[in-house]
Amino acid sequence: MKRFFFALCVLILCMVMVVPSAMAKAKKIRFSHVVSVNTPKGWAANEFANRVNIALKGKYVVTVFPNAQLYGDNQAIEALSAGFIEMAAPSSAKFVGSIPALQLFDMPFLFPKIETVHKVVDGKIGDEIRAMFIKRGLGIKLMTFWDNAFKQFSSNVRPLIKPADFKGVKFRIMSSDVLEAQMAGLGGVGLKLPFAEVYNALEQGVVDGQENTASNIYTKKFHEVQKYLTFSNHGYLGYAVIMNQKFWDKLPADVQKTISTILMEVTVLERQKAIELDKEQGTLIRSYAKKSKRLKIYDLDPAQTAELQKAMKPVHDKFSEVVPTKWIKEIKMMK
Ligand code: LMR
């Protein structure tokens, strides 16, 4: 009995000493993002982390920090570039100061459907964007692109149906200059605010309205502090999944391969998940409007959409110095 007790003590002592030292040796991959877990990016970041953590058996551990717990918006790009975090997936708009050409994805009514975005990021333009990241030498490696969905407009001033309805309305926008020009072109005002501040800004009247996808609106309850929401599908929201270049370069080749393979698998699933969540959370917003009677929903007919398109499309030609005109032309030729 004494011997058994002694052996048990030795075993416990070994565990106390060995387990933390094994954990301490695990290399951290900190993945920071600003949205809720139940969004396309939130889901994909967790799925990626789970798969990597299993495949690499705890030698490398991906920890996801959602909801801007670590860094908000543009800060995440700086933190990643400086090596304070290893991974992030900011939306295209957040790269305005680092890779401004990514504002391509903020162009209103440029992508007729999600499949067009996939043709772009999986094709020649995607390769050219990858090359830009290398050329800029910011210490940021572009790993893949993830979708959210198309954005919807909402406001507390009046229903947003025709261009004149936007006049004088103050909208929260992401940090993109293209989005600022988009709002100005409609006669509205775009105020660049971090995602984490949108709910309060809407509730306190700092801004009258916003544009975002159904999943971002629903999970952050923006629809509960808005009176009118139009399913306008006027612009795309998507992400560049990035990694600290030095961290990547130091990874053993087999670990790089595992991470890239998992990321590609998750990217395929993420595209599907993004479609599902957009539908699901769009429906939840509609149900909320029906039940609460505090929110009115509007769907645009083809003529109304065409009128908005006409008013917003001039933005496509205003950024030729930062967003290659040939990209825009190529995309317009895509079916
Ligand atoms: C926003 O700021 O509205 C979005 O970029 C948030 C996100 O990451 O989807």
Side-chain angles (χ1 to χ4, degrees):
M1 188 65 190
K2 255 189 194 166
R3 256 198 223 155
F4 171 74
F5 186 67
F6 178 72
L8 191 68
C9 286
V10 171
L11 185 70
I12 292 172
L13 196 68
C14 286
M15 281 171 72
V16 167
M17 286 165 65
V18 170
V19 172
S21 74
M23 274 169 60
K25 276 189 200 136
K27 298 244 167 49
K28 285 187 222 156
I29 303 180
R30 291 160 292 188
F31 191 141
S32 167
H33 70 77
V34 298
V35 293
S36 296
V37 172
N38 195 23
T39 57
K41 177 164 63 181
W43 177 86
N46 285 352
E47 186 66 22
F48 168 74
N50 292 339
R51 287 176 182 231
V52 170
N53 295 348
I54 292 170
L56 296 178
K57 301 186 176 76
K59 279 189 211 133
Y60 290 82
V61 175
V62 181
T63 310
V64 181
F65 299 91
N67 294 309
Q69 272 168 23
L70 277 189
Y71 296 103
D73 294 347
N74 313 21
Q75 291 171 340
I77 299 176
E78 285 162 28
L80 183 138
S81 175
F84 297 132
I85 50 171
E86 288 67 40
M87 287 187 80
S91 59
S92 49
K94 313 285 166 74
F95 289 88
V96 63
S98 47
I99 312 282
L102 276 188
Q103 290 174 101
L104 169 75
F105 298 101
D106 303 331
M107 293 287 176
F109 289 115
L110 178 62
F111 302 94
K113 45 189 193 288
I114 290 287
E115 288 75 15
T116 314
V117 177
H118 297 163
K119 273 190 198 163
V120 170
V121 297
D122 297 342
K124 210 161 57 65
I125 299 178
D127 290 340
E128 285 173 29
I129 294 173
R130 260 173 267 276
M132 274 178 182
F133 271 83
I134 297 168
K135 200 166 160 214
R136 285 300 309 270
L138 297 167
I140 300 174
K141 181 174 171 61
L142 173 60
M143 304 293 290
T144 186
F145 293 94
W146 284 349
D147 285 333
N148 191 317
F150 288 105
K151 293 175 288 183
Q152 322 301 348
F153 278 124
S154 67
S155 114
N156 271 332
V157 177
R158 61 181 86 92
L160 301 165
I161 310 292
K162 49 188 188 309
D165 299 331
F166 290 75
K167 199 159 182 5
V169 181
K170 218 192 269 175
F171 291 88
R172 177 270 171 171
I173 51 163
M174 299 171 223
S175 41
S176 156
D177 295 338
V178 165
L179 297 179
E180 194 173 40
Q182 165 198 286
M183 298 321 313
L186 286 168
V189 180
L191 193 66
K192 296 178 180 179
L193 283 179
F195 185 62
E197 290 174 25
V198 182
Y199 181 90
N200 284 344
L202 291 170
E203 193 189 33
Q204 288 162 18
V206 175
V207 287
D208 310 307
Q210 61 85 48
E211 50 153 24
N212 223 310
T213 59
S215 69
N216 278 349
I217 293 172
Y218 186 75
T219 54
K220 292 295 181 193
K221 300 188 182 350
F222 299 161
H223 60 298
E224 295 186 10
V225 284
Q226 293 281 264
K227 289 188 188 141
Y228 313 100
L229 189 143
T230 306
F231 279 91
S232 47
N233 292 311
H234 62 277
Y236 169 77
L237 175 64
Y239 310 106
V241 182
I242 52 175
M243 190 177 268
N244 176 278
Q245 182 76 53
K246 268 197 202 140
F247 178 80
W248 174 258
D249 291 342
K250 283 193 194 142
L251 291 176
D254 60 325
V255 174
Q256 284 186 345
K257 188 153 183 271
T258 304
I259 290 178
S260 309
T261 308
I262 292 176
L263 209 41
M264 285 311 112
E265 288 164 2
V266 172
T267 297
V268 173
L269 299 174
E270 197 270 348
R271 288 181 178 179
Q272 194 48 42
K273 190 76 184 174
I275 294 171
E276 283 164 24
L277 284 179
D278 186 48
K279 220 167 157 193
E280 208 176 287
Q281 287 160 328
T283 308
L284 288 169
I285 294 171
R286 287 178 193 274
S287 315
Y288 168 87
K290 250 192 208 157
K291 270 193 220 138
S292 77
K293 310 246 181 314
R294 280 196 233 129
L295 172 73
K296 283 200 103 182
I297 301 281
Y298 299 85
D299 289 290
L300 300 178
D301 65 29
Q304 289 164 335
T305 303
E307 209 190 333
L308 264 192
Q309 280 182 357
K310 199 170 158 217
M312 292 167 87
K313 275 189 170 173
V315 175
H316 296 180
D317 304 321
K318 286 206 172 120
F319 288 83
S320 54
E321 276 168 28
V322 278
V323 179
T325 314
K326 68 170 185 157
W327 288 357
I328 294 183
K329 277 193 191 144
E330 278 171 34
I331 295 168
K332 285 184 176 167
M333 307 265 288
M334 286 178 186
K335 291 268 151 48

